Amino acid sequence: FEFDDTIRRLHFNDPTLRSLNLFYNKLGERGGEAMAEALKVNSTLSKLNLWKNNLRERGGVAFAEALKVNST
């Protein structure tokens, strides 16, 4: 999986990206923060699996903030 390409597709609302399974991709805090920023503006993704990505507190907080502004 190409992380930068996925972030770009999320940010630009790629209509083909409706579900994303990132199970055990070791995103970490920084990857989680980058993903969360892209989700703030995304309106096409409706399913996201982030299990076992070691997001820690910073990544988790970033996703919580993203979900405050993204209802999809």
Side-chain angles (χ1 to χ4, degrees):
F1 123 88
E2 295 291 326
F3 186 72
D4 291 338
D5 183 53
T6 301
I7 294 291
R8 182 190 56 74
R9 290 175 65 199
L10 282 171
H11 185 77
F12 290 107
N13 287 301
D14 181 338
T16 64
L17 188 61
R18 290 176 276 177
S19 179
L20 187 56
N21 183 1
L22 297 176
F23 170 75
Y24 205 69
N25 271 280
K26 301 178 185 176
L27 295 178
E29 289 179 317
R30 295 182 78 196
E33 289 174 320
M35 183 71 66
E37 280 301 310
L39 284 175
K40 284 182 180 178
V41 296
N42 181 273
S43 63
T44 59
L45 191 71
S46 61
K47 289 183 182 180
L48 176 63
N49 180 357
L50 293 169
W51 194 46
K52 291 211 174 238
N53 273 285
N54 201 25
L55 298 176
R56 304 214 178 252
E57 184 177 349
R58 278 182 24 202
V61 167
F63 273 99
E65 293 299 317
L67 292 174
K68 286 181 182 177
V69 296
N70 183 327
S71 61
T72 57

